[in-house]
Amino acid sequence: MKKIVLAIATLLPLCAVPAHAQPAQMSAYAEDTVFGSDGYTSTDGEELYQTLCAGCHMPDGSGAVGAGRYPALSDNPNLEYAAYPVTLIVNGQAGMPAFGTFLNDEQIVALVTYLQTDLGNDFEPDATVEDVAIARPASPADPNRAEHE
Ligand code: HEC
């Protein structure tokens, strides 16, 4: 647990860095296919990956270099501990879009479990919904709790 909290504390400042410009092609992909108004309800890690992530990281996780650099997720030691991929998926980083508002905690756990155990990775899956809750930015003040209550 200490390791997870530490990792998150280290990563948080990075999340404040403004996203770099993304290739137009990728934004179109994101708007049309991924972030539909109905949201995305699957809780199957593989299906989520193939739908939301494979466009940049490739169906086999091998990554791509072109208009941008999309790191390989296959055989990737950065996925050994869930805190890192959970934080990245929730908050995004540079060219990596944030998925925190589109996916619920269970979906993010399913995704990270898939990343840790498939695509050529063989880690002990350790993602929990608590990890996702910790990675989410603090929620804004609840407008229903106005002072005139
Ligand atoms: C629009 C393209 C795009 C999409 C879609 C995308 N990513 Fe990424 N991803 C990136 C980029 C670019 C980086 C590198 C970020 C950086 O340079 O800090 C990255 C980095 C990552 C990393 C860190 C890899 C490492 O070794 O540091 C993980 C984990 C990751 N993405 C998982 C996902 C998952 C899971 C999804 C689907 C929910 C996803 N990505 C969707 C572009 C994308």
Side-chain angles (χ1 to χ4, degrees), residues 12-140:
L12 274 179
L14 295 174
C15 303
V17 173
H20 296 167
Q22 289 174 35
Q25 186 191 342
M26 287 305 170
S27 328
Y29 170 84
E31 277 158 29
D32 299 348
T33 353
V34 183
F35 308 137
S37 51
D38 297 342
Y40 196 74
T41 52
S42 171
T43 48
D44 181 293
E46 179 171 9
E47 194 182 322
L48 287 165
Y49 177 82
Q50 296 301 340
T51 309
L52 303 173
C53 322
C56 289
H57 293 284
M58 296 299 115
D60 63 354
S62 58
V65 178
R69 202 188 66 83
Y70 306 104
L73 301 182
S74 56
D75 204 12
N76 184 336
N78 294 337
L79 301 174
E80 180 167 1
Y81 301 108
Y84 176 64
V86 162
T87 303
L88 262 177
I89 295 167
V90 169
N91 298 300
Q93 178 176 295
M96 164 76 193
F99 289 89
T101 52
F102 302 100
L103 298 174
N104 65 31
D105 296 359
E106 288 75 19
Q107 289 175 307
I108 293 174
V109 168
L111 253 175
V112 171
T113 301
Y114 176 73
L115 296 183
Q116 290 183 309
T117 57
D118 211 302
L119 300 176
N121 297 307
D122 190 16
F123 299 117
E124 197 65 41
D126 67 340
T128 64
V129 288
E130 286 78 21
D131 293 339
V132 182
I134 291 171
R136 288 187 187 280
S139 17

